[in-house]
Amino acid sequence: MRAEVRDWGRKGYSLAAIRDLARRTLPRPVFDFADGGAEDEQTLRRNEAAFASHDLLPRPLNGVDDRDLSIELFGKRLAMPVLIGPTGLSGLFSPGGELAAARAAAAAGTAFCLSHASTCTIEDLAAAGSAPRWMQIFLYRDRGFTREFVERAAAGGYDALVLTTDNQLLGNRERDIRNGFTIPPKFAPLDILAMAGKLPWLLRMRRDLPRVTFANYARPGETADLAAIAGKMGGMLDPALSWREVDWLRGLWKGPFLLKGILHPSEAAEALKHGVDGLICSNHGGRQLDGAIASLDALPGVIAAVEGRMPVLLDGGIQRGSDVVKALALGAAACLIARPQLFGLAVAGEAGVARVLEILRREIDRTMGLMGVTRLAELGPDYLRRR
Ligand SMILES: Cc1cc2nc3c(=O)[nH]c(=O)nc-3n(C[C@H](O)[C@H](O)[C@H](O)COP(=O)(O)O)c2cc1C
């Protein structure tokens, strides 16, 4: 695929640089839909600030020549400790967004988690064969509909099921309100005039934009009406999510089962009693409860509560390989990235996501070398000081 940003290969040298290229590529409402957070965006900012408030304590005399970035997660070896987290409507950023990102993840030797709100179906991704593939779901008032998602993921050979717990009510994203962002996006003629610099993206998306939809919500033979589903989503989700539903889903799904959105140590401890296999310490990238603790600041409490009995992953604000190293030093088993892969997609499709993963791989490797660490398992809290 033709990249939309000239010379992106040279200019996209860091995740921040790729975000900047995406900002210049995407129409403002689409960029903000990905980039923004809820209300005053305090939590969004805290996520990144939390990494900056931890200093690395290197041991350069542990000279290391041969560094191993691989990890073992649920019986699978991943080449690096970064997975691609679930993002709805990835196909809004680049044609075939989810399939492209999943291919890039597989090529980098890591896992891709499909969102419930993907623009391809659960079956499309399964047929494409990228692996490992995880499936993220929500709890609907209609339990039969919820069950269908689980059964489709099982039939599609997905390796893990992720129940997102922090999105049963929709967050208040004020950038979207200010921009008049709608799903599907609608651009008035005046907006388009103001978007001259975004023409390459508009051209690239001209066939896909009208077709972008929540593909999993269509019944066989139907086409999903994006606007209608987006309007109904709030009413479909069940805000009365509890451990009872976690037990129910645990019974339905035989493979690794994770809860995403856990920040409180008491919920982490409770998860141990409900047959959960892993947790994702996350505040949804500050898109839901503004004022929530940074995920990195919540991590030590969550790790302590699970007493080493299940892996805890982290997302929210990863911008550098050193951020991943800090999370692992605090006990995370791995990290997930969401926005950076969307920005990679916007800039150069699959190659852009591949670049994002490659930047992180190199930065993790370099950080390990400078820290005197050969294997990620060597990392511990003694490699960090809280500022
Ligand atoms: C555009 C967008 C869509 C998202 N859609 C979902 C989703 O469907 N399900 C989910 O569990 N999380 C979703 N998330 C949250 C991410 O998985 C992740 O928790 C969050 O963005 C933090 O990671 P980041 O700082 O790397 O973006 C979405 C995030 C973004 C930016």
Side-chain angles (χ1 to χ4, degrees):
M1 183 198 304
R2 197 168 63 83
E4 298 312 327
V5 181
R6 204 156 7 110
D7 214 8
W8 76 274
R10 189 177 59 80
K11 292 179 183 157
Y13 54 84
S14 69
L15 268 52
I18 289 179
R19 173 180 176 273
D20 200 44
L21 293 175
R23 189 174 51 75
R24 285 188 262 150
T25 305
L26 294 167
R28 182 67 186 258
V30 177
F31 175 76
D32 275 348
F33 163 63
D35 195 58
E39 297 181 351
D40 301 313
E41 303 191 335
Q42 292 178 12
T43 297
L44 175 69
R45 285 192 297 276
R46 268 178 211 160
N47 276 347
E48 286 189 28
F51 289 103
S53 71
H54 286 80
D55 296 334
L56 295 165
L57 266 180
R59 297 178 188 174
L61 285 173
N62 274 359
V64 289
D65 194 15
D66 191 18
R67 295 171 294 278
D68 179 4
L69 274 69
S70 71
I71 56 162
E72 172 121 357
L73 202 53
F74 304 121
K76 293 230 153 55
R77 188 137 287 274
L78 303 182
M80 62 190 287
V82 179
L83 293 75
I84 295 192
T87 49
L89 298 182
S90 301
L92 190 56
F93 296 82
S94 180
E98 288 87 0
L99 296 171
R103 280 195 301 272
T110 191
F112 172 83
C113 184
L114 189 70
S115 157
H116 73 104
S118 51
T119 62
C120 70
T121 63
I122 297 172
E123 292 75 18
D124 292 335
L125 182 71
S130 321
R133 51 179 178 273
W134 294 11
M135 181 67 212
Q136 176 266 318
I137 60 162
F138 285 154
L139 182 82
Y140 307 103
R141 292 180 197 272
D142 180 345
R143 298 291 194 268
F145 191 54
T146 313
R147 174 198 281 266
E148 278 178 33
F149 271 77
V150 179
E151 290 172 348
R152 291 170 65 186
Y158 282 68
D159 298 285
L161 186 73
V162 176
L163 172 67
T164 294
T165 59
D166 60 3
N167 197 101
Q168 294 298 117
L169 289 172
L170 297 180
N172 179 24
R173 300 181 195 150
E174 294 187 353
R175 287 201 218 183
D176 292 348
I177 299 172
R178 271 198 302 280
N179 292 329
F181 178 74
T182 54
I183 294 177
K186 291 202 180 66
F187 304 116
L190 268 181
D191 296 343
I192 293 180
L193 270 184
M195 288 195 312
K198 324 289 177 175
L199 271 181
W201 179 85
L202 284 168
L203 282 175
R204 170 159 58 135
M205 292 298 295
R206 71 189 178 283
R207 272 195 215 94
D208 285 68
L209 261 188
R211 289 203 299 250
V212 164
T213 192
F214 294 124
N216 292 318
Y217 288 74
R219 300 276 165 188
E222 287 176 6
T223 45
D225 175 351
L226 182 61
I229 299 167
K232 282 198 307 209
M233 186 66 80
M236 289 169 76
L237 297 172
D238 190 349
L241 172 65
S242 74
W243 293 104
R244 215 165 45 146
E245 287 74 33
V246 170
D247 290 338
W248 173 65
L249 288 166
R250 172 68 288 182
L252 288 179
W253 177 261
K254 302 301 167 218
F257 177 45
L258 293 91
L259 300 181
K260 174 173 182 280
I262 301 298
L263 296 168
H264 203 292
S266 75
E267 288 213 321
E270 188 67 22
L272 288 171
K273 301 182 201 149
H274 294 267
V276 171
D277 299 299
L279 300 177
I280 303 177
C281 181
S282 169
N283 52 35
H284 217 101
R287 298 166 72 76
Q288 287 292 100
L289 175 65
D290 195 31
I293 185 171
S295 48
L296 191 75
D297 288 334
L299 184 66
V302 170
I303 298 271
V306 302
E307 299 168 344
R309 289 162 61 196
M310 65 168 93
V312 177
L313 288 71
L314 173 128
D315 77 12
I318 300 280
Q319 287 294 311
R320 289 282 182 193
S322 56
D323 296 341
V324 176
V325 167
K326 289 175 185 177
L328 268 56
L330 288 177
C335 295
L336 300 97
I337 52 161
R339 294 182 182 90
Q341 54 103 26
L342 293 177
F343 297 146
L345 277 177
V347 170
E350 178 181 343
V353 182
R355 169 63 68 93
V356 163
L357 290 170
E358 177 57 16
I359 289 170
L360 286 174
R361 196 195 61 73
R362 275 197 219 149
E363 289 182 353
I364 294 167
D365 180 58
R366 186 182 306 111
T367 304
M368 287 171 73
L370 292 171
M371 296 275 291
V373 172
T374 314
R375 287 179 307 111
L376 294 169
E378 293 162 21
L379 288 166
D382 56 327
Y383 279 93
L384 288 184
R385 281 292 176 280
R386 178 87 211 218
R387 189 163 291 183

